[in-house]
Amino acid sequence: MERTLISEIGSLEGIVTVLGWAQEIRILKNIAFLIVRDVTGQCQVTIKGKIDGVDIPSITRESVIQVKGKIVKNSQSKSGPEILATEITVLNNSLSPLPLAPFDPVNADIETRLNNRFLDLRKREHLAIFRIKSSLMFGIREFLHSQHFIEVQTPKIVSSATEGGADLFQVQYFDQKVYLNQSPQLYKEILISSGFDRVFEVGPAFRAEKHNTVIHLNEFTSVDIEMGFSNHEDAMAMLEGAVKSAIATMQKDNPQDLSVLNVKIEKYERQFPRITFNECLTLLEKEGVMHSANVDFSPEDLRIIGSNFDGFYFITKWPSSLRPFYTMPDETDPGITNSFDLQFKDKEVTSGAQRVHDPELLRKRFAAKELNPVDFDFYLKAFEFGMPPHAGWGLGLERLTMILLGLKNIRECTIFPRDRTRLKP
RNA sequence: GCCCCGAUAGUGUAGCGGUCCAUCAUACGGGCCUGUCGAGCCCGUGACAUGGGUUCAAAUCCCGUUCGGGGCGCCA
């Protein structure tokens, strides 16, 4: 279709054709104005006198229209560049009233917004969130490719739990009961045995936890890596590189989106600080919080710990009891592990570790976690025929987006979120 | 799984036993206005989730149901 993007109008002159949504319609006695929006911005369409074939007052808000007209130089418009219309065509009418008016002064509840997500996403701020999320992912991908990672796809329909204990969604698979995968963990490790050396996967992860919070979803995007001939230190360095690349890409490609959201993010050039699990306990004690060594931190604990850091930091050396069976124990102290979480203030963004590569040790760990090795036969087999030492991590893409943009609810950066109650749209 | 809380016009809200055939804003319809831009001014349309109970009287109090929100636990 013949089309001029609204962002290009400022540098053009003469006749253009703009395609977009009629965001506002203001009719005065002898003149009318439309604010028309497309993905690149908004402009003002001015209508003087009659235009053949179109009844301006009958145009409803959010209808899709085509406007041909002359660019007005030295415009007084405060709503972007101005076009004096010569032809207007309604390409598709919008019903009225709108179930949610994204451009009204009143803000709708997130519930109403999600019920009418297609309309909600017409807001510039919401578009900005998803452009940024896209850039963050691009930055991570670019970095991992530069480090010779192979992007892979592993099954989401699986026969057994990845880590045991966690709640999985059961689905009917012909005449069998199977599950939606909570993590690509077992498969990416198997690929290390296959000699792929470095793999990553971006895909959905499903958790059947009945949680009801602003930082959890039942389906989220997991960015997972696994690297052979590596330990937790290597994995942490890779994570730091990936996160910094994500931020740098966003800063380079999305300055306007960041400004629409009023978000200022510093360049993360310095090293992410580190604190061990035990040091966290000491820190909590100083604040008068007694914390047991085999209990995970509560949100309140993490607020206290996080208040000691500006942004990103690692919590390392987690106790074995709090980590999955595949986590490598420390060489000198088997009670703790070669593991880490990447935190941003009070929120966990990534969890990672060096993994167990010795099948004998793996069997012992199954026993310690009361898991049945038979359920993991296909996984264990890959360890019996030459499995390199390896390490990796899993990062929640929505969590990363949320914390960097300071969003209050993870649903804000999920196009169609799946939570405990929401299955539509 | 546990614990709190909520449901009033398209949207967002006020009201929390009679003064409510329900407030205000916004949207919508109509009118006025020679350039507006959160346009303005006037008029109008439009709602108490659902079932039961208490009471002379229920949007308001009690119980159930449905739908939803938040926190904890678990985790990305």
Side-chain angles (χ1 to χ4, degrees), chain A residues 27 83 134 146 207 234 283 292 335 363 372 407:
Chain A
I27 298 169
I83 294 165
S134 172
S146 79
R207 303 279 163 91
D234 301 317
L283 216 151
S292 159
R363 286 200 184 86
N372 185 356
L407 303 173

Side-chain angles (χ1 to χ4, degrees), chain A residues 157-228:
Chain A
I157 298 172
V158 299
S159 64
S160 62
T162 306
E163 307 181 10
D167 291 317
L168 298 171
F169 289 108
Q170 198 178 65
V171 295
Q172 189 70 34
Y173 190 73
F174 305 115
D175 54 355
Q176 288 184 68
K177 295 273 188 231
V178 297
Y179 305 94
L180 295 180
N181 211 175
Q182 56 165 204
S183 151
Q185 184 62 31
L186 306 185
Y187 291 98
K188 60 182 186 171
E189 286 192 70
I190 292 173
L191 291 174
I192 297 306
S193 169
S194 302
F196 279 34
D197 204 68
R198 292 179 168 189
V199 297
F200 80 101
E201 176 164 11
V202 182
F206 303 94
R207 303 279 163 91
E209 299 278 350
K210 288 183 176 173
H211 35 46
N212 210 241
T213 80
V214 291
I215 56 167
H216 292 95
L217 293 169
N218 294 295
E219 176 178 357
F220 65 96
T221 309
S222 179
V223 181
D224 269 87
I225 79 152
E226 204 64 34
M227 46 202 290

